[in-house]
Amino acid sequence: MIKEDYGYELKYYSLIPSTEGVQQRNTDISYLHSMLEMHHPDLVILYDEAITNFGSGQYVSCIENCRSLLENFFKKLDTINRDYVKGILAATGESIIDNGAQLTSIKKIYTYWIDNKKGANRFRLFQTMYSVMSGLGTHHENVASKEDALLLYLDSLSFYSFCPFTIPQK
């Protein structure tokens, strides 16, 4: 349960298991797994490890697997340098232009956004997901909880469900 104090009221949130939608979730997970096997078999091991690690209470490892899955997925979109940042830009179709130059670095894109208060919305979404997974997983900046791992796993699952196989195939 999470308690949030907004100054004027307290809000309580809790994450509880639900049997509602279990069949649909299992179908989605099975579909995603089969699509990964079919189109990107090299990523299946990361997906399977994320599920296994979550189930065995290894939440940091689960988040690390989700991060690696996200990173490797986007790297495939940059067929020249295998740069996940350029892969995110390719996936989102965003082109951030500043003073006639196309921006392709995280720092320059965020600086542009801070200065202009617009642009790179989709890029920032995926880069933020990657950053959160890095902080809670790979870099151990904070202690990862079961809820963190579950939410990041579900976010990853949602992403792959919506845009899973637009990558050029082998």
Side-chain angles (χ1 to χ4, degrees), residues 9-152:
E9 72 179 318
L10 288 175
K11 296 269 185 178
Y12 292 91
Y13 304 94
S14 61
L15 184 62
I16 57 172
S18 172
T19 57
E20 186 175 320
V22 167
Q23 189 63 36
Q24 179 61 41
R25 284 191 298 275
N26 286 338
T27 302
D28 291 344
I29 290 170
S30 297
Y31 172 76
L32 178 59
H33 195 274
S34 66
M35 288 294 103
L36 280 172
E37 283 179 336
M38 187 183 320
H39 299 289
H40 307 290
D42 56 314
L43 300 180
V44 171
I45 191 167
L46 294 169
Y47 181 80
D48 288 344
E49 285 178 2
I51 293 170
T52 300
N53 285 327
F54 181 82
S56 63
Q58 301 297 317
Y59 306 125
V60 170
S61 295
C62 173
I63 293 169
E64 288 173 346
N65 291 125
C66 290
R67 176 192 165 272
S68 294
L69 187 58
L70 190 77
E71 178 181 18
N72 286 305
F73 185 84
F74 282 122
K75 280 182 176 181
K76 289 183 171 198
L77 285 174
D78 180 22
T79 57
I80 297 170
N81 299 314
R82 291 190 44 87
D83 179 345
Y84 85 94
V85 173
K86 291 179 183 173
I88 293 172
L89 290 169
T92 62
E94 291 178 307
S95 181
I96 298 91
I97 309 294
D98 189 26
N99 294 324
Q102 183 170 352
L103 306 181
T104 58
S105 80
I106 296 167
K107 184 177 181 177
K108 288 180 182 180
I109 291 170
Y110 273 89
T111 299
Y112 175 85
W113 180 78
I114 289 168
D115 291 346
N116 296 288
K117 305 289 187 256
K118 66 177 184 175
N121 294 307
R122 292 173 188 86
F123 174 85
R124 288 185 297 109
L125 169 70
F126 293 116
Q127 179 55 40
T128 299
M129 281 178 58
Y130 178 85
S131 180
V132 169
M133 289 181 200
S134 294
L136 291 174
T138 309
H139 302 299
H140 307 286
E141 293 170 6
N142 297 104
V143 177
S145 69
K146 179 179 183 176
E147 290 79 9
D148 293 328
L150 178 62
L151 290 173
L152 290 170

